[in-house]
Amino acid sequence: MDLAHKKDVYVKTLEERLTALLKNKNYPPVIYDAISYSLLGGGKRMRPVLLLAACEAVADDDESGISPELSETLRFNCALDFACAIEMIHTYSLIHDDLPAIDNDDTRRGRPTNHKVFGEAMAILAGDALLNMSYELMIDACIRHQYLNCLPALVEIARSAGINGMIGGQVMDVHTEGTTVDEETLLYIHEHKTAALIKASIVAGAIIGGAGGRYLKTFRQAANHMGLAFQIKDDILDVTGDSSTLGKPVGSDARNNKNTYVSVFGLEQARRDYQYMWDSCIQHFNELGAEFLAAYAKDLRDRVR
Amino acid sequence: MDLAHKKDVYVKTLEERLTALLKNKNYPPVIYDAISYSLLGGGKRMRPVLLLAACEAVADDDESGISPELSETLRFNCALDFACAIEMIHTYSLIHDDLPAIDNDDTRRGRPTNHKVFGEAMAILAGDALLNMSYELMIDACIRHQYLNCLPALVEIARSAGINGMIGGQVMDVHTEGTTVDEETLLYIHEHKTAALIKASIVAGAIIGGAGGRYLKTFRQAANHMGLAFQIKDDILDVTGDSSTLGKPVGSDARNNKNTYVSVFGLEQARRDYQYMWDSCIQHFNELGAEFLAAYAKDLRDRVR
């Protein structure tokens, strides 16, 4: 299997669908510009790739017990809408995070942040619009595809995006800024702010693919480990990475007094936990016969930026 | 029928449910405080009252063709969750509107605005949390009540809250700030920013109540007129109201160069349109046998603040 090629196909399919979704517009052009700027402005597209790949991994597996009558096209089209929705949620969270009142970031992915281009008011509204649009899209998909697995996938994503998921983590991060947090609080922030939505991408994809019972449980276990491992990798790279590859100065977290996995648990334990979580994640994907996901997880594990 | 008493019952039922919903919490206390402050801090509760009353109006009507097997309790419990959700959406929009980057308001309902108490970062996140929570609640209601009418009601609300509804109107309002708008643009702003969510409250309530076909269409017509008429009333009161009753100085819109129905169409036409829309709205509610809604519409028509 050619990982890079398959990943490119997922990303291309996603970006074409996102572009088409934004084109169906009766709304004021200025908000279209602000939304497109951030939503169609690149990025790894990790969450949608995970969702699409998890859906296909279930469909590909002879052992999963999925009814053959359930067409692959139906499942994939449904997963594609959910993949777009999860990228909208991720993008809204970045736009709001970058605002002067929160992280006050001027650049993202090498370009000025949304509020630097469109002003703070429009950036707040663009974030609100993207969050609402993600739900419009998923609800519409539930009705359009008339496919029973959509609703449980929607529950999974809604919970992970909200106050008991991503927003809860973000709140705790903002609330503890400038203080040194204990291990429990750091884990709360990481598991909610970053891991929850990554996890939901995999689990929602598997649900749409048709996974249930013990099969779905294994997806959940893999997803759990990947979410947290991804953040630990970020924190380790900030200490050990190469600033020219990373695109930002090494050690910026420490200089900004940010609480990271490394600052709370130390570099050695961070590396140990990180290794354990990736190994476990990859092993679960292998058990599931999810060849692409296992390869993609290895790719994320070994990334240098 | 005792309008005031029935309205109080709706409001009390709503506020008890909102309080209970917030109590089911595993999330950081600071976000609970910020959300409760705005969500449980009073207000007319107009949108939830309209939703609950529309649901009951259908259930009460012998001509509506609703199956008697569909228990009133089921419908009301489902409507109650949707009523809470619509109040969450309304509240999030107020918190974000009040932010320094948008309307920069220091007080609302006689108290400091959310960001004045909890800071801008927490106010942005409290708004995000409320919007997401409203969807979590409605999606959960769709599954919990296993009631087919929930999903179309959810579509109605999602569309009215988004870029083709409330957010679209808000974007246009922000975008045209400080300029004089034409009639078409003012109508776009009013119909989207204010009217869309009011309209969706009535229509979603009627759908949950079981209305369909021509019966639902009449609800839509009544709702259309009420949404716009409500905003025209606001604009007229700003010119002709009594500042002590109004709780804010008369003429503040004009002094702030705000585009209003009165500034664009003139006071005479505003009064004429307003009269026509309310009359039509009340007539439709009477046709539907919706006694409470007709009385409530009269009450809103005659309000002095």
Side-chain angles (χ1 to χ4, degrees):
Chain A
M1 185 208 48
D2 183 346
L3 173 78
H5 174 69
K6 191 149 187 188
K7 198 169 67 179
D8 286 349
V9 172
Y10 282 140
V11 170
K12 191 163 171 286
T13 312
L14 174 91
E15 292 183 345
E16 280 173 4
R17 178 80 181 131
L18 283 175
T19 307
L21 283 168
L22 288 189
K23 282 249 167 74
N24 291 326
K25 59 173 196 236
N26 289 306
Y27 38 82
V30 56
I31 190 74
Y32 170 79
D33 294 341
I35 286 176
S36 305
Y37 179 80
S38 292
L39 191 61
L40 306 178
K44 278 194 288 287
R45 311 295 193 188
M46 180 179 69
R47 291 155 194 81
V49 168
L50 288 171
L51 195 151
L52 292 169
C55 175
E56 288 206 322
V58 179
D60 286 348
D61 192 305
D62 290 341
E63 316 259 310
S64 62
I66 304 305
S67 148
E69 293 104 66
L70 191 59
S71 93
E72 263 183 53
T73 314
L74 168 72
R75 275 178 283 181
F76 189 81
N77 286 342
C78 181
L80 184 55
D81 282 341
F82 275 69
C84 290
I86 210 140
E87 189 68 2
M88 288 175 183
I89 295 174
H90 176 58
T91 304
Y92 115 78
S93 78
L94 298 182
I95 296 175
H96 280 190
D97 272 16
D98 287 340
L99 285 167
I102 304 185
D103 284 352
N104 195 21
D105 279 321
D106 290 351
T107 57
R108 166 158 313 265
R109 294 172 190 151
R111 300 190 310 158
T113 43
N114 197 289
H115 66 270
K116 281 281 158 191
V117 180
F118 299 96
E120 267 185 72
M122 210 50 75
I124 294 168
L125 293 171
D128 294 348
L130 277 167
L131 176 56
N132 201 84
M133 200 183 276
S134 77
Y135 283 105
E136 287 181 75
L137 178 57
M138 290 185 286
I139 293 161
D140 185 53
C142 286
I143 291 181
R144 197 157 25 86
H145 301 302
Q146 291 277 322
Y147 172 37
L148 281 180
N149 287 16
C150 281
L151 217 46
L154 179 47
V155 171
E156 196 72 32
I157 291 173
R159 193 170 312 236
S160 77
I163 206 166
N164 293 306
M166 187 179 71
I167 295 175
Q170 174 67 347
V171 163
M172 196 59 109
D173 197 20
V174 166
H175 189 58
T176 57
E177 209 191 319
T179 68
T180 304
V181 303
D182 59 15
E183 298 182 356
E184 194 190 352
T185 307
L186 184 92
L187 280 175
Y188 180 92
I189 294 171
H190 279 6
E191 274 169 6
H192 290 77
K193 187 176 172 176
T194 320
L197 205 62
I198 295 175
K199 187 178 150 188
S201 306
I202 297 169
V203 174
I207 292 174
I208 294 170
R214 218 155 50 95
Y215 194 65
L216 180 59
K217 206 172 159 190
T218 312
F219 269 105
R220 263 185 211 286
Q221 286 163 335
N224 263 334
H225 285 137
M226 180 180 272
L228 200 49
F230 182 80
Q231 182 62 50
I232 302 176
K233 176 83 191 190
D234 257 8
D235 291 355
I236 292 177
L237 276 178
D238 186 70
V239 178
T240 65
D242 177 74
S243 62
S244 63
T245 322
L246 220 52
K248 61 171 187 175
V250 168
S252 65
D253 287 345
R255 274 193 303 282
N256 294 326
N257 290 315
K258 284 201 76 161
N259 292 299
T260 72
Y261 208 89
V262 175
S263 75
V264 171
F265 291 95
L267 185 57
E268 201 185 328
Q269 190 180 337
R271 279 187 165 138
R272 210 165 45 225
D273 291 352
Y274 150 81
Q275 192 63 46
Y276 163 75
M277 284 180 206
W278 281 117
D279 286 351
S280 161
C281 168
I282 292 163
Q283 189 192 324
H284 283 309
F285 283 140
N286 281 328
E287 274 171 39
L288 289 161
E291 199 188 348
F292 174 85
L293 284 170
Y296 190 42
K298 275 186 201 147
D299 200 45
L300 289 168
R301 181 191 66 190
D302 301 334
R303 74 197 159 97
V304 290
R305 66 193 180 108
Chain B
M1 185 209 51
D2 183 346
L3 173 77
H5 172 70
K6 191 149 188 188
K7 199 169 66 182
D8 286 348
V9 172
Y10 283 139
V11 171
K12 192 163 170 287
T13 311
L14 174 91
E15 292 182 345
E16 280 172 5
R17 178 79 181 131
L18 283 175
T19 307
L21 284 168
L22 289 189
K23 283 248 168 75
N24 290 327
K25 57 174 197 233
N26 289 308
Y27 38 84
V30 56
I31 191 74
Y32 171 80
D33 294 342
I35 286 176
S36 304
Y37 179 79
S38 292
L39 191 61
L40 306 178
K44 279 195 285 290
R45 312 295 192 188
M46 180 177 68
R47 291 155 194 79
V49 167
L50 288 171
L51 195 152
L52 292 170
C55 175
E56 288 208 321
V58 179
D60 286 349
D61 192 308
D62 291 340
E63 316 260 310
S64 61
I66 305 304
S67 148
E69 293 104 69
L70 191 59
S71 93
E72 265 183 51
T73 314
L74 168 71
R75 275 179 283 179
F76 190 80
N77 286 342
C78 180
L80 185 55
D81 281 341
F82 274 69
C84 291
I86 210 141
E87 190 67 1
M88 289 173 182
I89 294 174
H90 176 58
T91 305
Y92 115 77
S93 78
L94 299 181
I95 296 174
H96 281 189
D97 272 17
D98 288 339
L99 285 167
I102 305 186
D103 284 352
N104 195 21
D105 279 321
D106 290 350
T107 58
R108 165 156 319 260
R109 295 173 189 151
R111 300 190 311 160
T113 43
N114 198 288
H115 65 271
K116 281 281 158 190
V117 180
F118 300 96
E120 268 185 72
M122 211 47 78
I124 294 168
L125 293 172
D128 294 348
L130 277 167
L131 176 57
N132 201 84
M133 199 184 277
S134 77
Y135 283 105
E136 287 181 76
L137 178 57
M138 290 186 286
I139 293 160
D140 184 53
C142 286
I143 291 180
R144 196 156 27 85
H145 301 302
Q146 291 278 321
Y147 173 37
L148 280 181
N149 286 18
C150 281
L151 215 47
L154 179 47
V155 171
E156 196 72 33
I157 291 173
R159 192 169 314 235
S160 77
I163 207 166
N164 293 305
M166 187 178 73
I167 295 175
Q170 174 67 346
V171 163
M172 196 58 110
D173 197 20
V174 165
H175 189 57
T176 58
E177 210 191 319
T179 69
T180 304
V181 303
D182 59 16
E183 298 183 355
E184 195 191 351
T185 308
L186 183 91
L187 281 176
Y188 179 92
I189 294 171
H190 279 7
E191 274 168 6
H192 291 76
K193 186 176 172 176
T194 320
L197 204 62
I198 295 175
K199 189 177 148 187
S201 307
I202 297 169
V203 174
I207 292 173
I208 295 170
R214 218 154 50 92
Y215 194 66
L216 181 60
K217 204 172 161 190
T218 312
F219 268 104
R220 262 185 210 286
Q221 286 162 335
N224 263 334
H225 285 137
M226 180 180 273
L228 200 49
F230 182 81
Q231 182 61 49
I232 302 177
K233 176 83 191 189
D234 257 8
D235 291 353
I236 292 177
L237 277 178
D238 187 70
V239 178
T240 66
D242 178 73
S243 62
S244 62
T245 322
L246 222 51
K248 61 170 187 174
V250 168
S252 65
D253 287 347
R255 275 193 303 279
N256 295 328
N257 290 317
K258 285 200 74 158
N259 292 298
T260 73
Y261 208 90
V262 175
S263 76
V264 171
F265 291 96
L267 184 57
E268 201 183 329
Q269 190 182 335
R271 279 186 164 140
R272 211 164 45 225
D273 291 352
Y274 150 79
Q275 191 64 44
Y276 163 74
M277 285 179 205
W278 281 116
D279 286 351
S280 160
C281 167
I282 292 164
Q283 191 192 323
H284 283 310
F285 282 140
N286 281 328
E287 274 170 40
L288 290 161
E291 201 188 347
F292 173 85
L293 283 170
Y296 190 44
K298 275 185 200 147
D299 199 46
L300 289 168
R301 180 191 68 190
D302 301 335
R303 74 198 158 96
V304 290
R305 63 193 183 104

